[in-house]
Amino acid sequence: MEGHKEDRRIRRTKKLLKQALAQLMDEKEFKDITVKDITERADLNRGTFYLHYTDTYDILNKIENEILFNLQSMVDEKTNSADLPEDLARCTLMPIAEYIKENADIFRCLINNKVSADFIEKLRDFIFNNCSEIIKRRYSIKENRINDYYFSFITYGIIGVIKEWLEKKPLLDVCEIVGFADKVINSSIEAIKD
């Protein structure tokens, strides 16, 4: 029981530190953010920070990896069965969009902050690999020269939609944004079907 309380405390501490970093990234360039800035914003001492992270780049990297791990888990949960649903894109996008909305501040910072160019590339790889796999499986798409162009088009389109969605306040409803993305993906499938 005691270990469970400690786990919850650690999760809470890490959440406070991540939120503090997100707030600071919204205010200034990442390179100008110090551990002291983060701990002051989180109202924690520096020693607590160093129990979990080595420096500001370490916390940023761990946030990025945690987000990508969570996104991949959501995709895997929807696509691990041999029988894929008709509305696979919508089923897969819905939990992802809800997750992005719940973490809008950190996503906005990661997408817009110059130091996070790696995150955009990681997100691009995540979308490209999963999108191509899901569409190929769902629509029995055969390999051809044009597929990579199509999947790049969809990938950058999704990134653009996410960026635009996060910039507008209030955020569009999750169902509305997922419906739009699903419609665009499904209407463009014809480009690679044959």
Side-chain angles (χ1 to χ4, degrees):
M1 183 107 172
E2 189 63 28
H4 183 68
K5 284 184 181 180
E6 184 176 79
D7 290 346
R8 196 172 344 158
R9 252 181 289 146
I10 290 170
R11 281 194 309 271
R12 183 180 176 282
T13 299
K14 287 181 175 182
K15 183 177 180 179
L16 288 171
L17 292 167
K18 290 172 187 176
Q19 288 172 334
L21 177 61
Q23 291 168 1
L24 289 162
M25 286 173 69
D26 205 29
E27 297 167 13
K28 58 185 177 178
E29 291 296 318
F30 179 79
K31 66 180 177 52
D32 299 326
I33 298 171
T34 65
V35 170
K36 183 179 178 193
D37 293 333
I38 296 169
T39 56
E40 282 179 358
R41 181 66 59 99
D43 197 24
L44 296 167
N45 66 50
R46 289 176 64 180
T48 302
F49 178 93
Y50 289 116
L51 285 173
H52 307 291
Y53 308 106
T54 56
D55 57 22
T56 56
Y57 289 92
D58 185 40
I59 188 173
L60 180 65
N61 189 46
K62 286 183 176 164
I63 289 170
E64 291 175 356
N65 290 339
E66 179 184 320
I67 285 171
L68 292 166
F69 175 82
N70 290 339
L71 291 174
Q72 189 62 57
S73 296
M74 289 176 220
V75 170
D76 291 346
E77 185 178 314
K78 298 294 180 189
T79 60
N80 276 342
S81 87
D83 198 24
L84 301 177
E86 285 289 317
D87 62 344
L88 181 61
R90 181 181 289 275
C91 289
T92 306
L93 290 171
M94 189 61 74
I96 289 172
E98 288 170 353
Y99 180 75
I100 291 171
K101 186 174 182 177
E102 288 169 16
N103 298 283
D105 290 340
I106 194 67
F107 268 93
R108 192 177 300 109
C109 292
L110 291 174
I111 287 172
N112 292 328
N113 200 289
K114 291 180 181 92
V115 79
S116 297
D118 285 349
F119 180 73
I120 292 289
E121 283 305 306
K122 291 176 189 175
L123 184 62
R124 189 207 75 80
D125 291 345
F126 162 79
I127 294 170
F128 184 94
N129 293 332
N130 284 289
C131 181
S132 59
E133 185 60 33
I134 289 168
I135 290 173
K136 285 176 188 175
R137 283 183 59 202
R138 174 63 188 89
Y139 295 99
S140 302
I141 303 295
K142 294 177 179 72
E143 290 294 328
N144 68 46
R145 306 183 308 165
I146 205 73
N147 286 2
D148 284 348
Y149 294 97
Y150 170 76
F151 295 125
S152 289
F153 175 79
I154 293 297
T155 297
Y156 285 107
I158 290 172
I159 290 171
V161 167
I162 292 169
K163 284 180 79 162
E164 187 70 19
W165 183 38
L166 293 174
E167 291 303 314
K168 305 285 186 204
K169 297 217 177 153
L171 291 179
L172 275 179
D173 181 70
V174 168
C175 292
E176 197 172 351
I177 203 72
V178 167
F180 169 75
D182 183 53
K183 189 183 293 185
V184 169
I185 292 168
N186 285 319
S187 67
S188 65
I189 288 293
E190 295 302 318
I192 60 167
K193 260 190 165 174
D194 297 314

